[in-house]
Amino acid sequence: QQKVQQSPESLIVPEGAMTSLNCTFSDSASQYFAWYRQHSGKAPKALMSIFSNGEKEEGRFTIHLNKASLHFSLHIRDSQPSDSALYLCAVGSNTNKVVFGTGTRLQVLP
Amino acid sequence: DTTVKQNPRYKLARVGKPVNLICSQTMNHDTMYWYQKKPNQAPKLLLFYYDKILNREADTFEKFQSSRPNNSFCSLYIGSAGLEYSAMYLCASSSWGSQNTLYFGAGTRLSVL
């Protein structure tokens, strides 16, 4: 049974700071690793995903995957108040099953 | 258009009564998911369809049913609602093998009284 855990549970950072969110998973055969963001009252929306070890950058966001460590992370450069939201990590298997973590609540202070 | 629609947005049900939630997507996605979300908890996968094949999670196998009469439509059925079913129910769809991104609907908030 896949277990997905996130840290920290919540985070408060000043505007302009670098923010780092972490996700660990238990199934080494997992193939899909993604971050979703959910603003209050809205549906979760995909931010970015990665399928193989390494790093991927899109604008201010970078995702880093280390399968051997069963860990991936999201880094937000120059954090903005509009980045304040619940961040969910997601891990998928080759059977289409996608499991989410409990989330990290991020608040960026102006 | 990347829209997943859920109906209704809010649902009030009595203990012991059935509940039927509806989800639709127009993206021709092969996979549709149902998640249950309670405050301060991870979205819990209840079941998903890949094409016409239904996969139900072992710990919720007997509590939830689903049907997918066509590619665009998927329902979630609770035969006898209990207080513990009060939650947000999120439907999502994806095209597995093509980025695998899940597109979520706005959710149905179910309150069981």
Side-chain angles (χ1 to χ4, degrees):
Chain A
Q1 181 90 352
Q2 174 82 271
K3 290 193 189 320
V4 179
Q5 294 187 313
Q6 291 186 237
S7 64
E9 286 187 10
S10 62
L11 193 55
I12 300 175
V13 301
E15 184 174 354
M18 169 73 85
T19 298
S20 295
L21 310 177
N22 299 290
C23 186
T24 59
F25 54 97
S26 59
D27 184 358
S28 59
S30 300
Q31 298 185 346
Y32 165 72
F33 308 89
W35 286 95
Y36 288 73
R37 181 165 71 179
Q38 184 175 22
H39 285 108
S40 184
K42 303 287 187 182
K45 191 171 180 182
L47 265 179
M48 56 192 310
S49 59
I50 195 167
F51 295 87
S52 55
N53 274 339
E55 228 172 60
K56 181 177 169 183
E57 183 179 331
E58 291 179 1
R60 296 185 294 111
F61 298 88
T62 301
I63 189 171
H64 181 87
L65 171 64
N66 184 330
K67 279 191 177 182
S69 301
L70 303 177
H71 174 267
F72 66 109
S73 56
L74 178 71
H75 305 278
I76 307 173
R77 178 172 45 85
D78 188 24
S79 299
Q80 298 296 307
S82 57
D83 294 329
S84 297
L86 179 68
Y87 288 77
L88 297 163
C89 68
V91 181
S93 70
N94 62 351
T95 60
N96 301 27
K97 179 174 174 176
V98 178
V99 178
F100 284 84
T102 50
T104 293
R105 191 161 295 281
L106 173 65
Q107 187 177 358
V108 181
L109 300 178
Chain B
D1 181 14
T2 54
T3 301
V4 177
K5 293 184 179 177
Q6 291 188 243
N7 286 299
R9 287 297 306 276
Y10 302 92
K11 175 77 176 176
L12 194 59
R14 296 292 179 186
V15 170
K17 296 298 186 182
V19 176
N20 196 43
L21 308 180
I22 294 169
C23 178
S24 65
Q25 52 94 8
T26 56
M27 297 169 279
N28 199 34
H29 284 167
D30 52 27
T31 308
M32 293 185 75
Y33 303 83
W34 281 101
Y35 291 86
Q36 180 191 64
K37 177 79 168 72
K38 293 185 176 182
N40 301 317
Q41 294 183 20
K44 178 180 173 57
L45 179 64
L46 300 176
L47 52 88
F48 67 94
Y49 266 98
Y50 172 60
D51 197 14
K52 291 180 171 54
I53 301 169
L54 174 61
N55 296 269
R56 287 189 283 176
E57 290 296 282
D59 58 346
T60 55
F61 190 88
E62 296 179 348
K63 295 183 177 181
F64 299 93
Q65 300 283 338
S66 183
S67 67
R68 192 179 186 187
N70 55 58
N71 178 270
S72 303
F73 178 94
C74 188
S75 66
L76 181 71
Y77 180 76
I78 301 167
S80 177
L83 296 176
E84 71 277 16
Y85 287 85
S86 292
M88 175 70 84
Y89 289 84
L90 295 168
C91 173
S93 70
S94 74
S95 181
W96 205 249
S98 172
Q99 296 300 313
N100 300 359
T101 297
L102 271 66
Y103 295 89
F104 282 89
T108 294
R109 184 169 296 282
L110 173 65
S111 297
V112 181
L113 304 175

